Amino acid sequence: MLQLRAEADYPRMEETLPKQDSVFSACGREPLGLAGHIWGLRWTDESDAEASMAVISLLFLAVMYVVHHPLMVSDRMDLDTLARSRQLEKRMSEEMRQLEIEFEERSRAAEEKQKAENFWRGDTSNDQLVLGKKDMRWPFQASGQDGGPLGWMLGNLWNAGLFCLFLIFELLRQNMQHEPAFESSSEEEEEEIRVVPVSSYTWLSGFPSQEALESFYKHYIQNAIRDLPCTCEFVESFVDDLIEACRVLSRREAHPQLEDCLGIGAAFEKWGTLHETQKFDVLVPIVPPQGTMFILEMRDPTLGRRCGCVKVDSECVCKNEKLLGDVLCLVHHRDHSAMLSKCTSSIKAALCTSSHLDVYKTVQWFRNMVSNAWALVAHKYDFKLTLPPSTTTCKLRLDYRSGRSLSISLVLGVQREDTLVYLVSQAPEREQFTSVDWPESFAACEHLFLKLVGRFAPDNTCHLKCLQIILSLQDHQTLPPGASRPILTSYHFKTALMHLLLRLPLTDWQHRMLSQRLQDLLWFLGRSLQQRSLHHFLIGNTHLPLTIPIPKAFRNAEPVNLFQHLVLNPVAHSQAVEEFHNLLAQVKTLPCSPLAGGL
């Protein structure tokens, strides 16, 4: 009965099924699934199915590559979006996996329904198991193909080729990311340290554990700087008080005007060590007096020095005269030509050399102003203030009755455009400038960057601890024989740290990752020494956040190599490598007793 009923129903089913219907008909006119709607594929016969599968393979590999390699698009331009981008990446990966699972389930269900339709139509050529009889063909052999595995491979050559190309591209990409080995340029160096990718750290075998680093930091660093934040706050408050008294004593039409101060350097950036608890640098911006303007004439940086001259000239206020009405132009009004000549001649005679602001004269004028201002505010404080001699900064020494003393350096600066780059009176160490050359300083920009990192990073991060541990050990490092001063400075380590802060997500600097991040910092500097290349953090850095105000030309400029002198001087490079080796040895054997010098 069942057989007769099936034979009787068979014509009617044959009539209701078109010969070349879509996959929706073959599946009982049900959708193939969400993935089917996405790609919009239609299978008409088995030859078209193979071509469609090739297209699916190509699209699937492309989608999987984009999902699993999101870092090809840099998210380091904006610090506050790092955490959100990583959460979005994780959510997209989960959704993609759900789509793949749903696609496989719908495809399997559609295949089962297709087999059932073919069975009632009498087509059993595609079934591997018909009425209990096992098909003896290769299970991976396509319909209508013979020849075993060879025929299957030839029939799917397109898919195999795509897969091989994908694997080759992955291997090439990983090889390009592999870092070269660290090799010493010193011929007398017997021990070689190899720098490998951060994930291996084989050259840092025996590195201290998280607990050992935390113990060292607590006993030898944290105790020494526990009062540093309060001291920095007092220093800025005291300098502001002096500046306010100087404003009372100065004449707006004849003297440069002092703006609010800004603490710069290690102490105010919160990465200072024991040596930074006794000395503080404070930037004091100056602006031209009324009726005068400062014109910045920058030197060619290709000459090796980043500095400029500050030309003093008369300022025309004709535009302001149109707005305010009662303001007279000192340049174009004859009645005030005598006043213009007197003001210009006064400031040029007192502070300038050939119409350019003289560093030594300006600092001397500022020292005299501070000395007079101290007489107005001395009654507020319980310490003795002295001004040690200096030609490029106004040094202050505060001596308390308890025997404690503080050293403060007031650095004058002229702002460059509407940025945080200043031409300052204090020249970098080991460099000599003329009296009219004002060195370029990026301290305010770097201070702002570290402040933004502290604002957007998780609580209790370890980035400053890494720098403090290294500098604490470096301060007590013995110089190589014949060396008069170290090659590696705190600014080199600070620059390496700032580069890493842009490369790694801020969530990777959590407290528990101190050991890993310290290894990253040493690895980065070791690779830079090997390549003799450490780029300036602000000049030519395309990943610098736009919230850091620097001149537009800096972002598109060629990167500046802070290790250029190591390229020109092999002896200095050998000394730097030896200093780095000694530092590694110190880190691996952290002291269990107080360091020399009172730590």
Side-chain angles (χ1 to χ4, degrees), residues 312-334:
V312 179
D313 203 351
S314 301
E315 180 183 23
C316 176
V317 292
C318 290
K319 296 181 179 179
N320 295 337
E321 191 176 29
K322 295 179 181 180
L323 298 177
L324 302 178
D326 58 347
V327 178
L328 298 178
C329 177
L330 299 179
V331 176
H332 299 127
H333 283 265
R334 297 179 180 178

PDB file of all heavy atoms in Angstrom, residues 312-334:
ATOM      1  N   VAL A 312      62.408  91.788  18.954  1.00  0.00           N
ATOM      2  CA  VAL A 312      61.522  92.753  19.603  1.00  0.00           C
ATOM      3  C   VAL A 312      61.220  93.865  18.612  1.00  0.00           C
ATOM      4  O   VAL A 312      62.138  94.486  18.049  1.00  0.00           O
ATOM      5  CB  VAL A 312      62.173  93.322  20.880  1.00  0.00           C
ATOM      6  CG1 VAL A 312      61.252  94.351  21.526  1.00  0.00           C
ATOM      7  CG2 VAL A 312      62.490  92.203  21.848  1.00  0.00           C
ATOM      8  N   ASP A 313      59.932  94.129  18.391  1.00  0.00           N
ATOM      9  CA  ASP A 313      59.529  95.162  17.434  1.00  0.00           C
ATOM     10  C   ASP A 313      58.288  95.860  17.964  1.00  0.00           C
ATOM     11  O   ASP A 313      57.607  95.377  18.869  1.00  0.00           O
ATOM     12  CB  ASP A 313      59.253  94.541  16.064  1.00  0.00           C
ATOM     13  CG  ASP A 313      59.379  95.553  14.933  1.00  0.00           C
ATOM     14  OD1 ASP A 313      59.515  96.759  15.239  1.00  0.00           O
ATOM     15  OD2 ASP A 313      59.341  95.144  13.761  1.00  0.00           O
ATOM     16  N   SER A 314      57.985  96.989  17.369  1.00  0.00           N
ATOM     17  CA  SER A 314      56.808  97.747  17.767  1.00  0.00           C
ATOM     18  C   SER A 314      55.551  97.105  17.192  1.00  0.00           C
ATOM     19  O   SER A 314      55.562  96.568  16.078  1.00  0.00           O
ATOM     20  CB  SER A 314      56.920  99.201  17.290  1.00  0.00           C
ATOM     21  OG  SER A 314      58.075  99.805  17.825  1.00  0.00           O
ATOM     22  N   GLU A 315      54.461  97.198  17.936  1.00  0.00           N
ATOM     23  CA  GLU A 315      53.199  96.590  17.523  1.00  0.00           C
ATOM     24  C   GLU A 315      52.215  97.674  17.122  1.00  0.00           C
ATOM     25  O   GLU A 315      52.018  98.655  17.846  1.00  0.00           O
ATOM     26  CB  GLU A 315      52.610  95.754  18.647  1.00  0.00           C
ATOM     27  CG  GLU A 315      51.303  95.091  18.272  1.00  0.00           C
ATOM     28  CD  GLU A 315      50.697  94.319  19.426  1.00  0.00           C
ATOM     29  OE1 GLU A 315      51.027  94.639  20.586  1.00  0.00           O
ATOM     30  OE2 GLU A 315      49.880  93.408  19.179  1.00  0.00           O
ATOM     31  N   CYS A 316      51.610  97.484  15.975  1.00  0.00           N
ATOM     32  CA  CYS A 316      50.589  98.406  15.501  1.00  0.00           C
ATOM     33  C   CYS A 316      49.228  97.967  16.012  1.00  0.00           C
ATOM     34  O   CYS A 316      48.848  96.798  15.874  1.00  0.00           O
ATOM     35  CB  CYS A 316      50.585  98.450  13.972  1.00  0.00           C
ATOM     36  SG  CYS A 316      49.286  99.488  13.280  1.00  0.00           S
ATOM     37  N   VAL A 317      48.485  98.923  16.590  1.00  0.00           N
ATOM     38  CA  VAL A 317      47.167  98.577  17.154  1.00  0.00           C
ATOM     39  C   VAL A 317      46.061  99.275  16.384  1.00  0.00           C
ATOM     40  O   VAL A 317      45.014  99.601  16.935  1.00  0.00           O
ATOM     41  CB  VAL A 317      47.105  98.976  18.651  1.00  0.00           C
ATOM     42  CG1 VAL A 317      48.037  98.112  19.461  1.00  0.00           C
ATOM     43  CG2 VAL A 317      47.438 100.450  18.828  1.00  0.00           C
ATOM     44  N   CYS A 318      46.271  99.516  15.099  1.00  0.00           N
ATOM     45  CA  CYS A 318      45.254 100.182  14.296  1.00  0.00           C
ATOM     46  C   CYS A 318      43.950  99.385  14.256  1.00  0.00           C
ATOM     47  O   CYS A 318      42.862  99.951  14.281  1.00  0.00           O
ATOM     48  CB  CYS A 318      45.769 100.394  12.874  1.00  0.00           C
ATOM     49  SG  CYS A 318      47.086 101.641  12.763  1.00  0.00           S
ATOM     50  N   LYS A 319      44.054  98.048  14.183  1.00  0.00           N
ATOM     51  CA  LYS A 319      42.848  97.224  14.155  1.00  0.00           C
ATOM     52  C   LYS A 319      42.079  97.347  15.468  1.00  0.00           C
ATOM     53  O   LYS A 319      40.853  97.406  15.480  1.00  0.00           O
ATOM     54  CB  LYS A 319      43.218  95.769  13.881  1.00  0.00           C
ATOM     55  CG  LYS A 319      43.848  95.547  12.516  1.00  0.00           C
ATOM     56  CD  LYS A 319      44.165  94.076  12.292  1.00  0.00           C
ATOM     57  CE  LYS A 319      44.782  93.858  10.914  1.00  0.00           C
ATOM     58  NZ  LYS A 319      45.114  92.430  10.682  1.00  0.00           N
ATOM     59  N   ASN A 320      42.790  97.368  16.573  1.00  0.00           N
ATOM     60  CA  ASN A 320      42.119  97.551  17.856  1.00  0.00           C
ATOM     61  C   ASN A 320      41.508  98.943  17.962  1.00  0.00           C
ATOM     62  O   ASN A 320      40.486  99.136  18.612  1.00  0.00           O
ATOM     63  CB  ASN A 320      43.108  97.338  19.003  1.00  0.00           C
ATOM     64  CG  ASN A 320      43.618  95.913  19.056  1.00  0.00           C
ATOM     65  OD1 ASN A 320      42.958  95.013  18.558  1.00  0.00           O
ATOM     66  ND2 ASN A 320      44.786  95.720  19.638  1.00  0.00           N
ATOM     67  N   GLU A 321      42.141  99.924  17.330  1.00  0.00           N
ATOM     68  CA  GLU A 321      41.635 101.289  17.391  1.00  0.00           C
ATOM     69  C   GLU A 321      40.255 101.387  16.762  1.00  0.00           C
ATOM     70  O   GLU A 321      39.400 102.129  17.226  1.00  0.00           O
ATOM     71  CB  GLU A 321      42.608 102.225  16.680  1.00  0.00           C
ATOM     72  CG  GLU A 321      42.330 103.700  16.915  1.00  0.00           C
ATOM     73  CD  GLU A 321      43.382 104.571  16.262  1.00  0.00           C
ATOM     74  OE1 GLU A 321      43.951 104.143  15.251  1.00  0.00           O
ATOM     75  OE2 GLU A 321      43.642 105.665  16.779  1.00  0.00           O
ATOM     76  N   LYS A 322      40.022 100.595  15.703  1.00  0.00           N
ATOM     77  CA  LYS A 322      38.710 100.616  15.065  1.00  0.00           C
ATOM     78  C   LYS A 322      37.643 100.009  15.964  1.00  0.00           C
ATOM     79  O   LYS A 322      36.484 100.411  15.923  1.00  0.00           O
ATOM     80  CB  LYS A 322      38.763  99.853  13.739  1.00  0.00           C
ATOM     81  CG  LYS A 322      39.659 100.510  12.690  1.00  0.00           C
ATOM     82  CD  LYS A 322      39.676  99.697  11.412  1.00  0.00           C
ATOM     83  CE  LYS A 322      40.591 100.325  10.374  1.00  0.00           C
ATOM     84  NZ  LYS A 322      40.620  99.531   9.109  1.00  0.00           N
ATOM     85  N   LEU A 323      38.031  99.046  16.791  1.00  0.00           N
ATOM     86  CA  LEU A 323      37.053  98.388  17.652  1.00  0.00           C
ATOM     87  C   LEU A 323      36.816  99.168  18.934  1.00  0.00           C
ATOM     88  O   LEU A 323      35.678  99.309  19.384  1.00  0.00           O
ATOM     89  CB  LEU A 323      37.537  96.967  17.989  1.00  0.00           C
ATOM     90  CG  LEU A 323      37.690  96.024  16.800  1.00  0.00           C
ATOM     91  CD1 LEU A 323      38.257  94.688  17.281  1.00  0.00           C
ATOM     92  CD2 LEU A 323      36.355  95.802  16.100  1.00  0.00           C
ATOM     93  N   LEU A 324      37.870  99.691  19.526  1.00  0.00           N
ATOM     94  CA  LEU A 324      37.739 100.337  20.823  1.00  0.00           C
ATOM     95  C   LEU A 324      37.540 101.844  20.709  1.00  0.00           C
ATOM     96  O   LEU A 324      37.030 102.463  21.638  1.00  0.00           O
ATOM     97  CB  LEU A 324      38.985 100.040  21.674  1.00  0.00           C
ATOM     98  CG  LEU A 324      39.263  98.557  21.915  1.00  0.00           C
ATOM     99  CD1 LEU A 324      40.533  98.403  22.731  1.00  0.00           C
ATOM    100  CD2 LEU A 324      38.097  97.888  22.618  1.00  0.00           C
ATOM    101  N   GLY A 325      37.969 102.425  19.633  1.00  0.00           N
ATOM    102  CA  GLY A 325      37.712 103.831  19.405  1.00  0.00           C
ATOM    103  C   GLY A 325      38.717 104.765  20.039  1.00  0.00           C
ATOM    104  O   GLY A 325      39.245 105.668  19.384  1.00  0.00           O
ATOM    105  N   ASP A 326      39.008 104.593  21.307  1.00  0.00           N
ATOM    106  CA  ASP A 326      39.875 105.528  21.992  1.00  0.00           C
ATOM    107  C   ASP A 326      41.309 105.046  22.122  1.00  0.00           C
ATOM    108  O   ASP A 326      42.098 105.642  22.841  1.00  0.00           O
ATOM    109  CB  ASP A 326      39.317 105.823  23.390  1.00  0.00           C
ATOM    110  CG  ASP A 326      39.184 104.552  24.209  1.00  0.00           C
ATOM    111  OD1 ASP A 326      39.277 103.471  23.603  1.00  0.00           O
ATOM    112  OD2 ASP A 326      38.988 104.642  25.449  1.00  0.00           O
ATOM    113  N   VAL A 327      41.673 103.941  21.468  1.00  0.00           N
ATOM    114  CA  VAL A 327      43.038 103.429  21.510  1.00  0.00           C
ATOM    115  C   VAL A 327      43.841 104.068  20.394  1.00  0.00           C
ATOM    116  O   VAL A 327      43.440 104.047  19.230  1.00  0.00           O
ATOM    117  CB  VAL A 327      43.062 101.889  21.384  1.00  0.00           C
ATOM    118  CG1 VAL A 327      44.485 101.401  21.371  1.00  0.00           C
ATOM    119  CG2 VAL A 327      42.266 101.262  22.505  1.00  0.00           C
ATOM    120  N   LEU A 328      44.958 104.660  20.736  1.00  0.00           N
ATOM    121  CA  LEU A 328      45.793 105.337  19.759  1.00  0.00           C
ATOM    122  C   LEU A 328      46.933 104.445  19.309  1.00  0.00           C
ATOM    123  O   LEU A 328      47.567 103.771  20.124  1.00  0.00           O
ATOM    124  CB  LEU A 328      46.355 106.621  20.366  1.00  0.00           C
ATOM    125  CG  LEU A 328      45.310 107.667  20.778  1.00  0.00           C
ATOM    126  CD1 LEU A 328      46.009 108.873  21.406  1.00  0.00           C
ATOM    127  CD2 LEU A 328      44.451 108.094  19.610  1.00  0.00           C
ATOM    128  N   CYS A 329      47.193 104.387  18.015  1.00  0.00           N
ATOM    129  CA  CYS A 329      48.284 103.587  17.456  1.00  0.00           C
ATOM    130  C   CYS A 329      49.610 104.269  17.728  1.00  0.00           C
ATOM    131  O   CYS A 329      49.814 105.434  17.353  1.00  0.00           O
ATOM    132  CB  CYS A 329      48.078 103.389  15.960  1.00  0.00           C
ATOM    133  SG  CYS A 329      49.410 102.483  15.178  1.00  0.00           S
ATOM    134  N   LEU A 330      50.518 103.571  18.364  1.00  0.00           N
ATOM    135  CA  LEU A 330      51.814 104.143  18.710  1.00  0.00           C
ATOM    136  C   LEU A 330      52.721 104.279  17.498  1.00  0.00           C
ATOM    137  O   LEU A 330      53.724 104.994  17.538  1.00  0.00           O
ATOM    138  CB  LEU A 330      52.490 103.283  19.782  1.00  0.00           C
ATOM    139  CG  LEU A 330      51.722 103.153  21.108  1.00  0.00           C
ATOM    140  CD1 LEU A 330      52.498 102.266  22.057  1.00  0.00           C
ATOM    141  CD2 LEU A 330      51.466 104.511  21.728  1.00  0.00           C
ATOM    142  N   VAL A 331      52.406 103.575  16.420  1.00  0.00           N
ATOM    143  CA  VAL A 331      53.259 103.606  15.234  1.00  0.00           C
ATOM    144  C   VAL A 331      52.867 104.750  14.300  1.00  0.00           C
ATOM    145  O   VAL A 331      53.708 105.487  13.794  1.00  0.00           O
ATOM    146  CB  VAL A 331      53.200 102.250  14.497  1.00  0.00           C
ATOM    147  CG1 VAL A 331      54.014 102.311  13.207  1.00  0.00           C
ATOM    148  CG2 VAL A 331      53.700 101.145  15.399  1.00  0.00           C
ATOM    149  N   HIS A 332      51.572 104.909  14.072  1.00  0.00           N
ATOM    150  CA  HIS A 332      51.124 105.813  13.033  1.00  0.00           C
ATOM    151  C   HIS A 332      50.643 107.170  13.542  1.00  0.00           C
ATOM    152  O   HIS A 332      50.391 108.068  12.739  1.00  0.00           O
ATOM    153  CB  HIS A 332      49.996 105.153  12.231  1.00  0.00           C
ATOM    154  CG  HIS A 332      50.433 103.892  11.563  1.00  0.00           C
ATOM    155  ND1 HIS A 332      49.775 102.711  11.704  1.00  0.00           N
ATOM    156  CD2 HIS A 332      51.500 103.619  10.758  1.00  0.00           C
ATOM    157  CE1 HIS A 332      50.377 101.760  11.018  1.00  0.00           C
ATOM    158  NE2 HIS A 332      51.430 102.293  10.429  1.00  0.00           N
ATOM    159  N   HIS A 333      50.486 107.358  14.829  1.00  0.00           N
ATOM    160  CA  HIS A 333      50.072 108.647  15.356  1.00  0.00           C
ATOM    161  C   HIS A 333      51.297 109.485  15.693  1.00  0.00           C
ATOM    162  O   HIS A 333      52.146 109.079  16.479  1.00  0.00           O
ATOM    163  CB  HIS A 333      49.190 108.454  16.603  1.00  0.00           C
ATOM    164  CG  HIS A 333      47.792 108.036  16.268  1.00  0.00           C
ATOM    165  ND1 HIS A 333      46.760 108.933  16.150  1.00  0.00           N
ATOM    166  CD2 HIS A 333      47.266 106.819  15.995  1.00  0.00           C
ATOM    167  CE1 HIS A 333      45.643 108.293  15.831  1.00  0.00           C
ATOM    168  NE2 HIS A 333      45.924 107.001  15.745  1.00  0.00           N
ATOM    169  N   ARG A 334      51.393 110.651  15.122  1.00  0.00           N
ATOM    170  CA  ARG A 334      52.566 111.493  15.307  1.00  0.00           C
ATOM    171  C   ARG A 334      52.704 111.951  16.756  1.00  0.00           C
ATOM    172  O   ARG A 334      53.818 112.100  17.253  1.00  0.00           O
ATOM    173  CB  ARG A 334      52.473 112.708  14.385  1.00  0.00           C
ATOM    174  CG  ARG A 334      52.479 112.349  12.904  1.00  0.00           C
ATOM    175  CD  ARG A 334      52.355 113.591  12.056  1.00  0.00           C
ATOM    176  NE  ARG A 334      52.353 113.255  10.628  1.00  0.00           N
ATOM    177  CZ  ARG A 334      52.222 114.177   9.664  1.00  0.00           C
ATOM    178  NH1 ARG A 334      52.070 115.460   9.980  1.00  0.00           N
ATOM    179  NH2 ARG A 334      52.234 113.797   8.411  1.00  0.00           N
TER     180      ARG A 334
END
